[in-house]
Coordinates of all heavy atoms in Angstrom, one line a residue:
S35 N -22.6 -9.7 49.2 CA -24.0 -9.7 49.5 C -24.4 -8.8 50.7 O -23.6 -8.7 51.6 CB -24.3 -11.2 50.0 OG -25.5 -11.2 50.7
T36 N -25.5 -8.1 50.6 CA -25.8 -7.2 51.7 C -27.0 -7.6 52.4 O -27.6 -6.9 53.3 CB -26.2 -5.8 51.1 OG1 -27.1 -5.8 50.1 CG2 -24.9 -5.2 50.4
S37 N -27.5 -8.9 52.2 CA -28.6 -9.4 53.0 C -28.7 -10.9 52.9 O -28.1 -11.5 52.0 CB -30.0 -8.9 52.5 OG -30.3 -9.4 51.2
Y38 N -29.4 -11.5 53.8 CA -29.6 -12.9 53.9 C -30.2 -13.4 52.6 O -29.8 -14.4 52.0 CB -30.5 -13.1 55.1 CG -31.2 -14.5 55.2 CD1 -30.5 -15.5 55.9 CD2 -32.5 -14.7 54.7 CE1 -31.2 -16.7 56.1 CE2 -33.1 -15.9 54.9 CZ -32.4 -16.9 55.5 OH -33.0 -18.1 55.7
T41 N -27.7 -13.5 49.7 CA -26.8 -14.7 49.8 C -27.5 -15.9 49.2 O -27.0 -16.7 48.4 CB -26.4 -14.9 51.2 OG1 -25.6 -13.8 51.6 CG2 -25.6 -16.2 51.3
E63 N -16.2 -18.2 59.4 CA -16.6 -18.3 60.8 C -18.1 -18.5 61.0 O -18.9 -18.5 60.1 CB -16.3 -16.9 61.4 CG -14.8 -16.5 61.5 CD -14.0 -17.6 62.2 OE1 -14.4 -18.0 63.3 OE2 -12.9 -18.0 61.7
L64 N -18.4 -18.8 62.3 CA -19.8 -19.0 62.6 C -20.6 -17.7 62.2 O -20.1 -16.6 62.4 CB -19.8 -19.1 64.2 CG -20.8 -20.1 64.7 CD1 -20.4 -21.5 64.3 CD2 -20.8 -20.1 66.3
A65 N -21.8 -17.9 61.6 CA -22.7 -16.9 61.1 C -22.2 -16.1 59.9 O -22.7 -15.1 59.6 CB -23.0 -15.8 62.3
A66 N -21.2 -16.7 59.3 CA -20.7 -16.1 58.0 C -21.7 -16.2 56.9 O -21.6 -15.5 55.9 CB -19.3 -16.6 57.6
G67 N -22.5 -17.2 56.9 CA -23.5 -17.4 55.9 C -23.4 -18.8 55.2 O -24.1 -19.0 54.1
K68 N -22.7 -19.7 55.7 CA -22.5 -21.0 55.0 C -23.8 -21.8 54.9 O -24.2 -22.3 53.9 CB -21.5 -21.9 55.8 CG -20.2 -21.2 56.0 CD -19.1 -22.0 56.8 CE -19.5 -22.4 58.2 NZ -19.6 -21.2 59.1
T69 N -24.6 -21.8 56.0 CA -25.8 -22.6 55.9 C -26.9 -21.8 55.1 O -27.6 -22.4 54.3 CB -26.4 -22.8 57.4 OG1 -25.4 -23.6 58.1 CG2 -27.7 -23.6 57.3
T70 N -26.9 -20.5 55.1 CA -27.8 -19.7 54.3 C -27.5 -20.0 52.8 O -28.4 -20.2 52.0 CB -27.5 -18.2 54.6 OG1 -27.7 -18.0 55.9 CG2 -28.4 -17.3 53.7
E139 N -19.6 -28.0 55.4 CA -19.2 -26.9 56.3 C -18.0 -27.3 57.2 O -17.9 -28.4 57.6 CB -20.4 -26.4 57.2 CG -21.5 -25.9 56.3 CD -22.6 -25.2 57.1 OE1 -22.3 -24.4 58.0 OE2 -23.8 -25.4 56.7
E162 N -22.6 -6.2 60.1 CA -23.8 -7.1 60.4 C -24.4 -7.8 59.2 O -24.7 -8.9 59.3 CB -24.8 -6.2 61.2 CG -25.8 -7.0 62.0 CD -26.8 -6.2 62.7 OE1 -26.5 -5.0 63.1 OE2 -27.9 -6.7 62.8
N163 N -24.6 -7.0 58.1 CA -25.4 -7.6 57.0 C -24.6 -7.8 55.7 O -25.1 -8.3 54.7 CB -26.6 -6.8 56.7 CG -27.6 -6.8 57.9 OD1 -27.9 -7.9 58.4 ND2 -28.0 -5.6 58.3
R165 N -21.6 -9.6 53.5 CA -20.8 -10.7 53.4 C -20.1 -10.8 52.1 O -20.7 -10.5 51.1 CB -21.7 -12.0 53.5 CG -22.5 -12.2 54.7 CD -21.7 -12.4 56.0 NE -22.5 -12.7 57.1 CZ -23.0 -11.8 58.0 NH1 -22.7 -10.5 57.7 NH2 -23.7 -12.2 59.0
Ligands
ADP228 N1 -25.6 -11.0 53.8 C1 -25.9 -11.9 54.6 N2 -25.8 -13.2 54.1 C2 -26.0 -14.3 54.9 N3 -26.4 -14.2 56.2 C3 -26.5 -12.9 56.7 C4 -26.3 -11.8 55.9 N4 -26.5 -10.7 56.7 C5 -26.8 -11.2 57.9 N5 -26.9 -12.5 57.9 C6 -27.2 -13.3 59.1 O1 -26.0 -14.1 59.5 C7 -26.4 -15.4 59.9 C8 -25.8 -16.5 59.0 O2 -26.0 -17.7 59.6 P1 -25.6 -19.1 58.9 O3 -26.0 -19.0 57.4 O4 -26.2 -20.1 59.7 O5 -24.1 -19.1 59.1 P2 -23.0 -20.3 59.2 O6 -23.6 -21.5 58.7 O7 -21.8 -19.8 58.4 O8 -22.7 -20.4 60.7 C9 -27.9 -15.5 59.9 O9 -28.3 -15.1 61.2 C10 -28.3 -14.4 58.9 O10 -29.5 -13.8 59.1

Side-chain angles (χ1 to χ4, degrees):
S35 160
T36 56
S37 68
Y38 167 88
T41 295
E63 294 303 316
L64 221 61
K68 304 180 295 297
T69 298
T70 303
E139 296 192 40
E162 201 181 327
N163 295 312
R165 302 288 186 273

